[in-house]
């Protein structure tokens, strides 16, 4: 029974990745169709129905309801929803198969982080459907991480070592995974913001939400994720006190978590400093997400420390 | 300071007041230090300075990895060492950065605390003359008299701080909300200082140590540094005033999955508290099941189970019939199979000649497999003690125990072998009960294997303070990031006949976060009975364009 759960969990994971890839293709098609249609249809569009106030470069539509681009985009979003459901089911089955909280190795964190990012993205989409063209770029890191998770980092469902048998695993690892996943969306938004502002790749970037909207999106999600990340680090410290005899010991993972935290603190300060508010702050946000990812992969896989229970080798 | 743009950090553009005199330089330096830009740069420096602490091996974590780094990079390692890169978190440059940051923080937060205290008492800002110029505004003529209109506004603005001013025939109401934002911001930053004080107290007055105790009744008492195998003292700890308590390890059990992955560790221990010892209750042991993630907490000190391993017991029967038993921990060298290595050392009994005693010492050194593969070369295939076997060399000669130099309990001094002072006299694979006879008739018997546990004792008087301030920080952070500071004004002017009232309202968000627009729309709908039409709405301005992304 348990091995069947594990098997189904793995299959659902693969299905979710497949669905995400397909969604990316559809988002890509949305992009391509829009771009090729642009010359013909500019100015022919009606008002963008589902947006509060369409950005000046709102997608052009043909007169008869949603166009092809719109259709592709919507199908893409539906597939993302489907993918998220499959992935959530995969995680639940993983927990049933291993009979523990399904966040015990790198494969499992990676999956949880990606699910958190996808769900955060869907919430953003619900609140501001005009951000949809960003979907391709949110899915890109998700698919890459899931691919790495399912191949290089994969570990079969199994119990965890005694040091991990604590309810703090649930609190610490869950919150840190959700916070990391949430931070992925601002990371992508800030990168796109910089891309858009740089003026390069014009035809490519102009389908994206406006620079302003991207910047605001990045800020809003960061201020939700940052307190969560802070809580996750504190929960980790409480756990470390119970497991290792000290609440903070500058273990490599702790150090890089501290670095990422300081970078995000700098981001919030930059947002409040004249001359740093937009461009430089966006770079800081990107650096913060880079630190989070670096902490997830490099520190677990290359540097040895107390957090080295990736389930690798 | 986090997430606020109230401009109390002095602007970099200088000061309108004349900057003359001798105080100009320190004053300007202080201003520069407490400016937001400096705080930002210091934050970046802090992040940058911490990185080597993760990327380079650190002495405080693993001396062996540092030594390895010296071997691998002989050219650069001494330089890095001199610059403190192997002790980043104790390095002067790291301390300089966080101290400057703390000074900058205090220099910014204290004036703001005073200012916020004043703001809390001050009345909301007077109503601007032209409300129509505010980012959010609206107006309507209500079919009620000015009294009732005012009552309606007052009622709707419950929970806002407000003040009413009579102006000619009408009146204005100024209101402000969201003071908790700045309160949270200040709470966060002040708590950060408290957290650092607690952290520092731990570094000064805390201590920690490790000790290996045999798991068949071995005891440890926290009475002095000598009881420990290794000890890390805080800067103000000299080891004379440790909190006394005793621990006895009665038993240790580990269970493993079939593939050798550990499933659980459990040590049955007994302990005696300071009070027990003072009261002379030295025969009673309070039981405690010591497990990973479940330390023994004795007021102020904690005892952790951090490792375990095996201690083989050998009996040496000397040619004159005297027996000596040695039982000392061997060190696991393979974390998966618990293959262990070590050295059990003996001195010949009853030898009075100093020279002869020194040159006829014995050492049994080699490998211990808790579950032996059974082959000619002993390897371990499972971490549990199922089928133990040792592969040992017996060495005789001068172990160097009298040299006055400390030596590892896990190995013999290699230089004594190299110099010929220590010679191998036998080599054998033994299972419990087996023995070998040396050339001089000495018999070495491998009796059996005991288990040991490694205990960590930690004492940190600052950690409760740290926890309290960490919680306060989190509360402050949540408040400062979720609450919006916003202002609202209403001007009520009765019409000429006095039966109707012209109500003009305006709103301004004082913080970076967009989204006052929605709340203002609700206020307007409630106060002006107007539907959510866009006609009078101009949701832009200082609040940022409230376009695509709705605020939550």
């Amino acid at each position: 029974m348990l091995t069947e759960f594990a098997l189904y969990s793995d299959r659902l994971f693969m299905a979710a990745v497949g669905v995400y890839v397909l969604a990316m293709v559809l988002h890509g098609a949305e992009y391509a169709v829009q771009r090729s249609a642009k010359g013909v249809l500019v100015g022919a569009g009606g008002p963008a129905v589902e947006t509060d106030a369409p950005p000046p470069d709102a997608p052009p539509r043909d007169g008869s309801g949603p166009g092809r681009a719109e259709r592709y985009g919507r199908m893409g979003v539906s597939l993302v929803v489907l993918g998220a459901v499959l992935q959530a089911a995969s995680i639940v089955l993983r927990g049933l198969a291993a009979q523990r909280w399904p966040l015990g190795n790198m494969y499992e964190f990676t999956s949880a982080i990606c699910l958190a990012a996808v769900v955060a993205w869907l919430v953003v989409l619900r609140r501001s459907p005009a951000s949809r063209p960003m979907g391709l770029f949110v899915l890109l890191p998700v698919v890459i991480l899931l691919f790495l998770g399912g191949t290089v980092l994969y570990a079969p469902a199994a119990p965890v070592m005694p040091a991990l048998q604590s309810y703090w695993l649930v609190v610490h690892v869950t919150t840190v995974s959700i916070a990391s996943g949430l931070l992925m969306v601002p990371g992508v938004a800030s990168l796109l913001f910089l891309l858009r502002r740089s003026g390069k790749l014009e035809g490519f970037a102009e389908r994206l939400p406006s620079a302003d909207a991207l910047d605001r999106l990045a800020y809003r999600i960061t201020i939700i994720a940052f307190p969560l990340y802070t809580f996750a680090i504190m929960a980790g410290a409480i756990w470390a006190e119970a497991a290792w005899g000290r609440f903070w010991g500058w273990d490599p993972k702790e150090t890089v978590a501290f670095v990422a935290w300081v970078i995000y603190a700098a981001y919030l300060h930059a947002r409040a400093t004249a001359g740093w508010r937009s461009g430089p702050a966006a770079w800081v946000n990107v650096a913060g997400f880079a630190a989070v990812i670096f902490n997830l992969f490099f520190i677990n896989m290359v540097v040895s420390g107390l957090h080295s229970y990736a389930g690798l080798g | 300071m986090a997430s606020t743009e109230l401009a109390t950090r002095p602007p970099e553009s200088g000061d309108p007041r004349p900057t003359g005199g001798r105080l100009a330089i320190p004053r300007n330096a202080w201003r520069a230090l407490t400016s937001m830009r400096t705080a930002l740069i210091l934050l970046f420096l802090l992040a940058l300075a911490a990185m080597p602490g993760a990327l380079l091996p650190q002495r405080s974590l693993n001396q062996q990895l540092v030594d390895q780094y010296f071997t691998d990079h002989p050219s650069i390692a001494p330089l890095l060492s001199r610059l403190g890169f192997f002790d980043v978190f104790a390095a002067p440059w790291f301390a300089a950065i966080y101290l400057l940051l703390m000074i900058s923080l205090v220099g910014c937060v204290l004036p703001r605390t005073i200012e916020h205290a004043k703001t809390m008492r001050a009345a909301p800002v007077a109503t601007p003359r032209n409300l129509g110029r505010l980012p959010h505004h609206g107006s309507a003529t209500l079919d009620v008299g000015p009294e009732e209109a005012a009552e309606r506004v007052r009622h709707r603005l419950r929970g806002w701080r407000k003040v009413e001013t009579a102006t000619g025939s009408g009146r204005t109401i100024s209101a402000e909300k969201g003071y908790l934002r700045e309160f949270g911001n200040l709470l966060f930053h002040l708590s950060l200082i408290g957290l650092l004080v607690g952290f520092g107290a731990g570094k000064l007055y805390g201590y920690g140590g490790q000790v290996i105790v045999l798991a068949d009744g071995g005891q440890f008492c926290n009475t002095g540094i000598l009881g420990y195998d290794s000890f890390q003292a805080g800067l103000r700890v000299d080891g004379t005033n440790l909190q006394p308590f005793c621990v006895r390890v009665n038993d240790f059990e580990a269970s493993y999955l079939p593939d050798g992955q550990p499933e659980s560790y459990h040590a049955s221990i007994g302990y005696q508290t300071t009070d027990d010892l003072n009261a002379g209750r030295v025969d009673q042991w309070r039981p405690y099941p010591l497990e990973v993630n479940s330390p023994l907490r004795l007021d102020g000190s904690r005892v952790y189970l951090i490792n375990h391993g095996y201690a083989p017991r050998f009996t040496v029967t000397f040619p004159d019939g005297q027996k000596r038993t040695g039982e000392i921990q061997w060190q696991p060298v393979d974390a998966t199979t618990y293959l262990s290595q070590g050295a059990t050392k003996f001195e010949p009994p009853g030898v009075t000649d100093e020279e002869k005693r020194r040159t006829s010492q014995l050492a049994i050194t080699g490998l211990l497999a808790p579950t032996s593969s059974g082959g000619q070369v002993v390897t371990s295939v499972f971490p549990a003690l199922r089928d133990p076997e040792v592969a040992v060399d017996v060495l005789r000669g001068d172990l160097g125990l009298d040299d006055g130099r400390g030596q590892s309990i896990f190995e013999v001094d290699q230089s004594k072998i190299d110099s010929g002072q220590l010679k191998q006299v036998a080599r054998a694979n033994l299972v419990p009960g087996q023995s070998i006879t040396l050339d001089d008739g000495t018999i070495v018997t491998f009796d059996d294997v005991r288990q040991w546990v490694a205990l960590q004792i930690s004492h940190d008087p600052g950690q409760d303070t740290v926890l309290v301030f960490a919680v306060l920080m989190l509360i402050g952070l949540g408040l400062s990031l979720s609450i919006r500071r916003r202002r609202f004004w209403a001007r009520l002017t009765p019409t000429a006949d006095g039966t109707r009232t012209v109500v003009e309202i305006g709103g301004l968000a004082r913080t970076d976060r967009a989204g006052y627009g929605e709340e203002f729309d609700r206020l307007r709908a409630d106060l002006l009975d107007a539907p959510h039409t866009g006609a009078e709405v101009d949701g832009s301005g200082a609040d940022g364009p409230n376009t695509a992304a709705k605020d939550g």
Side-chain angles (χ1 to χ4, degrees), chain A residues 11-234:
Chain A
R11 286 190 179 157
L12 282 166
F13 179 85
M14 282 186 260
V17 178
V19 169
Y20 288 142
V21 170
L22 208 58
M24 266 180 77
V25 170
L26 283 167
H27 276 304
E30 174 189 18
Y31 234 82
V33 171
Q34 269 178 356
R35 287 195 61 197
S36 59
K38 188 184 148 206
V40 193
L41 291 172
V42 150
V49 200
E50 76 285 4
T51 57
D52 294 354
D57 54 352
R61 329 262 156 143
D62 51 33
S64 56
R68 267 205 305 161
E70 179 71 21
R71 251 192 343 264
Y72 286 144
R74 287 186 178 186
M75 282 160 68
V77 173
S78 309
L79 283 183
V80 175
V81 174
L82 175 65
V85 170
L86 293 175
Q87 208 194 337
S90 153
I91 291 175
V92 170
L93 280 183
R94 178 51 91 124
L96 291 174
Q99 299 201 290
R100 58 169 169 76
W101 195 250
L103 287 170
N105 54 46
M106 293 242 344
Y107 160 70
E108 292 166 7
F109 318 140
T110 310
S111 184
I113 288 171
C114 289
L115 181 63
V118 167
V119 171
W121 165 240
L122 288 173
V123 172
V124 167
L125 260 186
R126 189 161 177 84
R127 288 174 169 261
S128 108
S131 329
R132 198 182 58 214
M134 229 184 101
L136 179 61
F137 304 97
V138 175
L139 286 178
L140 187 65
V142 166
V143 167
I144 292 172
L145 285 182
L146 286 178
F147 177 76
L148 287 175
T151 52
V152 186
L153 307 175
Y154 182 78
V160 289
M161 57 197 270
L164 292 181
Q165 293 164 11
S166 165
Y167 55 88
W168 285 106
L169 173 100
V170 179
V171 180
H172 169 61
V173 186
T174 307
T175 48
V176 91
S177 301
I178 294 174
S180 306
L182 285 181
L183 288 170
M184 192 189 296
V185 180
V188 169
S190 291
L191 263 180
L192 293 177
F193 167 82
L194 291 167
L195 189 71
R196 205 171 163 124
R197 234 179 46 129
S198 71
K200 287 171 201 153
L201 300 166
E202 249 173 55
F204 181 71
E206 69 190 310
R207 294 284 147 229
L208 293 170
S210 69
D212 234 24
L214 287 168
D215 192 39
R216 212 167 39 242
L217 178 70
Y219 179 66
R220 284 188 183 165
I221 301 180
T222 306
I223 63 171
I224 296 168
F226 181 68
L228 189 64
Y229 189 59
T230 309
F231 172 80
I233 293 174
M234 288 175 182

Side-chain angles (χ1 to χ4, degrees), chain B residues 115-162:
Chain B
E115 193 188 340
H116 188 62
K118 284 183 192 156
T119 316
M120 297 281 277
R121 275 173 309 190
V125 178
T127 309
R129 186 163 306 170
N130 189 349
L131 289 175
R133 286 199 181 160
L134 290 173
H136 309 286
H137 58 89
S139 72
T141 306
L142 302 186
D143 292 328
V144 293
E147 265 318 312
E148 199 187 331
E151 184 49 41
R152 201 183 278 189
V153 174
R154 275 197 291 269
H155 182 75
R156 182 61 180 79
L157 292 178
R158 266 176 315 168
W160 290 63
R161 176 186 299 253
K162 46 192 179 291

Side-chain angles (χ1 to χ4, degrees), chain A residues 52-53 127-128 130 158-166 212-213 216 219-220 223 226-227 230-231 234 238-252 255-256 258-259 261-263 265-277 284 294 298-299 303-304, chain B residues 1-5 36-37 40 43-44 46-47 50-51 53-55 61 65 89 94 181 188-189 192 199 203 257 261-265 292-295 297 302 304 306 456 458 460 463 466-467 470-471 473-474 477-478 481 512-515 545-552:
Chain A
D52 294 354
R127 288 174 169 261
S128 108
V160 289
M161 57 197 270
L164 292 181
Q165 293 164 11
S166 165
D212 234 24
R216 212 167 39 242
Y219 179 66
R220 284 188 183 165
I223 63 171
F226 181 68
T230 309
F231 172 80
M234 288 175 182
I238 294 172
W239 187 12
E241 194 272 343
W244 299 329
R246 82 292 181 291
F247 65 87
W248 193 267
W250 298 110
D251 182 63
T255 303
V256 179
F258 169 78
V259 168
W261 189 86
V262 168
I263 294 176
Y267 169 74
L268 293 178
H269 284 83
R271 292 282 306 192
T273 306
W276 284 76
R277 208 150 295 172
V284 179
F294 178 81
F298 190 82
I299 294 297
V303 182
S304 79
Chain B
M1 309 281 84
S3 76
T4 175
E5 56 177 15
M36 185 76 104
R37 188 162 303 218
L40 253 180
L43 279 172
F44 288 131
L46 186 66
M51 277 313 277
L55 299 179
L61 297 175
L65 286 179
F89 303 105
F94 190 77
R181 180 191 182 90
F188 172 84
H189 286 93
L192 188 59
F199 196 84
K203 293 287 167 233
L257 297 173
Q261 186 190 332
E263 193 176 36
S264 77
Y265 300 125
V292 182
N293 277 314
S294 167
R297 294 176 188 275
R302 291 108 58 201
Y304 297 83
I306 55 169
Q456 152 103 22
S458 299
D460 184 348
Q463 73 173 20
V466 169
L467 180 62
V471 170
M473 268 174 72
L474 202 57
L477 191 63
L481 290 179
D512 182 41
R513 192 165 171 212
N546 183 29
T547 51
K550 285 188 208 159
D551 189 70

